[in-house]
Amino acid sequence: MKLIVDCDTGIDDALALIYLLTSMDATQHGLAGIPGAADSSNPVDLIGVTASFGNTTARQSARNSLDLLDLFGHSDVPVFLGHEHALGARSFEVSPGSAFIHGLNGVGDVELPHSAREVEKMPADEFFIESARRYGSDLTILSTGSFTSLAAAITRAPEAMAKLGRIVMMGCALTVPGSVNAWTEANVSQDPESADTVLRSGLPLVIVGRDVTAVTHLATDVPLRWKESGSRIGLLLGQMVAFYQRAYAVNFPALHGCFLPDPLAMAITLDESLVTNWLSRDLCIELDGPTRGRTIANRDNLFQHSSTRVALDYQRDLFLKRFLSLMDAQIHRDSSVD
Ligand code: CA
């Protein structure tokens, strides 16, 4: 499977990338006890990471992704800059809420070792189009930030984009309240028009939204354990997740931990059998009126076959077990090097 990760790197985006890179390493090297890709006959080939805006600016997201790819031994993966603001806007500023959750640099104000690499010249939407033409149904795009570059690619080259295998969207809130307000999920809120364009595209979509991301919770003792592991990666991961959980302690005091939205979307991208309940339904976004940003079924397509599958439940314990064992593998690998 050829994979592009389109992310607004962000703390949970960073964890999703680490989940992916460790899983790829496990598949390649057959590391005992570490979950690799479910289908090892078609191992994941990460052909690029594209940078969107949301948790942070697109440029900061690109910087964070470059730094993370290098730090975790995948400096061969190119990074492409995506659209820097919503299609209908002139600029983008990180909201105070996002800065509170993800820090001023997107990764909890933790300083990552600086990568000397820069972004590619090709913009993200062009990379999507070229990759869809080249790899067709073998291509998956996982988007865990705003959907602006994806929408731009679909609008510019619908025939080319129709060749791709699957788009996984970490976004939407169909059966549960939103995260920004009672009906709007955060990634949709960044550019509702673009989210709507992707949802109405007729392309094969997998929706990993608030319906499933707001149920698995990572307890506060985990980052403490990582910080005290004696490993450089453990310290870095522990500081990042502790920062993230500090915001959750204010926003969701009863949780005593944090959700793992983007790592869950990554886990489902790598292994759809984690999902135990799918709803097949075309969706759209309400763009007018007081409920702007709400995910809802597309009334025009209620009675025809849908190419959209919405994850409604999944094997929560198995996901958390895989997440923890992949993070522990990185932490252990680092301490064994030192
Ligand atoms: Ca994200």
Side-chain angles (χ1 to χ4, degrees), residues 18-37:
I18 298 165
Y19 186 109
L20 168 67
L21 300 175
T22 317
S23 174
M24 284 165 57
D25 294 347
T27 306
Q28 195 180 350
H29 305 298
L31 301 178
I34 302 172

Side-chain angles (χ1 to χ4, degrees), residues 3-5 17 20-21 24 45-50 65-66 69-70 73-80 115 117-120 127:
L3 177 63
I4 300 172
V5 181
L17 282 175
L20 168 67
L21 300 175
M24 284 165 57
D45 179 8
L46 178 62
I47 60 170
V49 172
T50 53
S65 295
L66 285 164
L69 287 164
D70 284 17
H74 289 263
S75 55
D76 54 322
V77 178
V79 174
F80 302 81
S115 162
R117 295 196 293 142
E118 295 294 336
V119 292
E120 304 295 309
F127 180 59

Side-chain angles (χ1 to χ4, degrees), residues 7-320:
C7 48
D8 58 334
T9 320
I11 293 173
D12 62 321
D13 303 78
L15 295 174
L17 282 175
I18 298 165
Y19 186 109
L20 168 67
L21 300 175
T22 317
S23 174
M24 284 165 57
D25 294 347
T27 306
Q28 195 180 350
H29 305 298
L31 301 178
I34 302 172
D39 181 6
S40 55
S41 65
N42 186 14
V44 177
D45 179 8
L46 178 62
I47 60 170
V49 172
T50 53
S52 59
F53 63 93
N55 294 332
T56 185
T57 64
R59 284 181 189 273
Q60 183 67 51
S61 157
R63 175 45 51 201
N64 293 343
S65 295
L66 285 164
D67 292 349
L68 287 163
L69 287 164
D70 284 17
L71 179 61
F72 289 92
H74 289 263
S75 55
D76 54 322
V77 178
V79 174
F80 302 81
L81 185 64
H83 280 64
E84 296 189 64
H85 54 77
L87 288 178
R90 289 189 177 168
S91 62
F92 166 77
E93 267 183 42
V94 179
S95 73
S98 293
F100 179 59
I101 297 168
H102 297 276
L104 293 175
N105 70 352
V107 286
D109 297 339
V110 169
E111 215 166 300
L112 297 171
H114 183 77
S115 162
R117 295 196 293 142
E118 295 294 336
V119 292
E120 304 295 309
K121 286 202 173 67
M122 185 186 286
D125 55 352
E126 206 175 312
F127 180 59
F128 293 150
I129 295 166
E130 284 228 336
S131 303
R133 283 202 180 107
R134 190 161 169 195
Y135 299 114
S137 61
D138 199 30
L139 176 67
T140 289
I141 301 175
L142 164 63
S143 191
T144 63
S146 51
F147 304 108
T148 310
S149 298
L150 260 181
I154 290 167
T155 304
R156 266 181 58 196
E159 295 89 1
M161 292 296 279
K163 295 180 199 292
L164 61 72
R166 187 176 56 143
I167 294 174
V168 183
M169 297 170 78
M170 204 309 282
C172 303
L174 185 62
T175 62
V176 295
S179 44
V180 173
N181 57 34
W183 51 86
T184 309
E185 183 276 331
N187 285 346
V188 169
S189 79
Q190 298 293 354
D191 186 352
E193 278 74 12
S194 287
D196 187 62
T197 298
V198 179
L199 289 174
R200 290 177 186 271
S201 65
L203 299 183
L205 303 179
V206 170
I207 310 297
V208 180
R210 197 83 183 150
D211 309 273
V212 283
T213 60
V215 289
T216 296
H217 121 272
L218 185 73
T220 46
D221 62 315
V222 175
L224 293 178
R225 178 164 60 78
W226 290 348
K227 275 203 271 190
E228 289 161 9
S229 64
S231 127
R232 187 179 49 125
I233 297 295
L235 181 63
L236 187 147
L237 281 177
Q239 286 174 336
M240 227 164 54
V241 173
F243 188 99
Y244 192 55
Q245 290 188 334
R246 219 163 33 215
Y248 272 81
V250 174
N251 295 341
F252 300 90
L255 196 63
H256 303 294
C258 62
F259 298 136
L260 296 167
D262 294 352
L264 176 64
M266 180 62 76
I268 291 173
T269 301
L270 299 183
D271 181 8
E272 284 196 4
S273 75
L274 277 172
V275 178
T276 52
N277 189 7
W278 291 104
L279 174 71
S280 184
R281 184 72 38 92
D282 278 3
L283 304 180
C284 62
I285 300 295
E286 286 189 343
L287 298 176
D288 300 311
T291 52
R292 174 175 162 79
R294 177 188 181 198
T295 311
I296 191 77
N298 181 347
R299 266 162 285 192
D300 301 334
N301 289 0
L302 279 181
F303 303 107
Q304 62 195 54
H305 172 76
S306 172
S307 57
T308 299
R309 289 172 299 139
V310 187
L312 293 184
D313 206 353
Y314 64 104
Q315 302 181 62
R316 304 174 192 191
D317 293 345
L318 180 57
F319 160 64
L320 198 58

